[in-house]
């Protein structure tokens, strides 16, 4: 029997988008499991709603993202990453409002999951981390830089990874590239988009290889976008412009 799973990533505190994607996954896609590839929180204000929706499920496997780890560092009184200095005020706002019962669940999330199906190895991570930095705290900035979507850039970024499928996030645009030996899939940020759709991917693994379907669930994001002003979210003008395409001005 084929193995069929969903990839979601970079939800960024957007509960309406997550709800729309999960509805399609649950009702239309007939999947075996979900891999959540990091950055569940930060940017959007729906921190507790998103974490509750995901952690209450039994079919989701998690890896941590840089926003998840930066917020967690604040809550635990650990060093905050200097490269995130522009986000610190926002992350402190998120940390103050986060239900602390989620802390142990966030702490347990690994940075990488490796699994196998039909003899094909698969790697799931938020971003590439050099082996000598893999166990460093987020304050040491172990994460990889943003790269333009291309097969050559991804082969360079994940050089040394021999996995047949590499699923990742961090880079908000969609990445889907196939070489003779590897498939790279980033479904794009689920929660940050310049239109009212929640992006995710469905991957089917069989003896023949991988079949990838890039999906977009439509939803009404008007109340979510308005909540930035209503809740007085720090840096909201920048966030709405950069991460949501200034849709309120359209």
């Amino acid at each position: 029997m084929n193995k069929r799973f969903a990839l979601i990533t970079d939800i960024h505190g957007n509960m309406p988008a997550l709800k729309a994607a999960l509805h399609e996954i649950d009702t239309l896609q007939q999947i075996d499991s979900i891999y959540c590839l990091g950055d569940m929180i930060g940017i959007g204000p729906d921190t507790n709603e998103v974490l509750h929706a995901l952690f209450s499920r039994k079919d989701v496997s998690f890896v941590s993202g840089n926003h998840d780890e930066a917020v967690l560092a604040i809550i635990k009184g650990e060093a905050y990453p200097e490269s995130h200095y522009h986000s610190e005020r926002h992350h402190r706002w998120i940390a103050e409002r986060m239900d602390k019962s989620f802390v142990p669940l966030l702490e347990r999330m690994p940075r990488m999951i490796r699994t196998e199906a039909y003899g094909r190895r698969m790697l799931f991570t938020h971003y590439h981390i050099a082996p000598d930095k893999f166990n460093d705290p987020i304050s040491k900035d172990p994460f990889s830089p943003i790269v333009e979507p291309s097969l050559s850039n991804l082969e360079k970024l994940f050089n040394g990874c021999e996995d047949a499928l590499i699923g990742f996030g961090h880079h908000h645009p969609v990445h889907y590239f196939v070489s003779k030996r590897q498939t790279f899939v980033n479904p794009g940020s689920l929660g940050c988009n310049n239109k009212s759709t929640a992006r995710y991917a469905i991957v089917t693994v069989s003896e023949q290889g991988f079949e990838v379907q890039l999906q977009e669930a439509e939803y009404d994001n008007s109340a979510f976008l308005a909540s930035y002003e209503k809740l007085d979210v720090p840096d909201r003008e920048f966030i709405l412009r950069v991460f949501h395409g200034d849709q309120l001005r359209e």
Side-chain angles (χ1 to χ4, degrees), residues 29-46:
Q29 304 297 357
Q30 297 181 325
I31 59 97
D32 302 308
S33 59
I34 300 172
Y35 290 94
C36 180
L37 305 183
D39 279 2
M40 295 183 288
I41 60 176
I43 298 180
D46 300 340

Side-chain angles (χ1 to χ4, degrees), residues 5 7 120-124 162-167 181-185 203 205 210 212:
F5 57 84
L7 296 179
R120 294 177 172 84
R121 292 176 59 189
M122 297 178 286
L123 165 68
F124 303 106
E162 299 300 324
D163 307 86
L165 174 75
I166 298 177
R181 66 185 188 88
Q182 287 181 304
T183 298
F184 299 91
V185 184
V203 180
V205 192
F210 302 105
V212 177

Side-chain angles (χ1 to χ4, degrees), residues 69 111 127 129-143:
E69 293 185 26
R111 284 177 170 166
Y127 40 41
I129 301 176
D132 62 335
K133 296 183 177 180
F134 189 81
N135 293 314
D136 286 352
I138 188 64
S139 60
K140 298 292 185 179
D141 297 326
F143 62 88

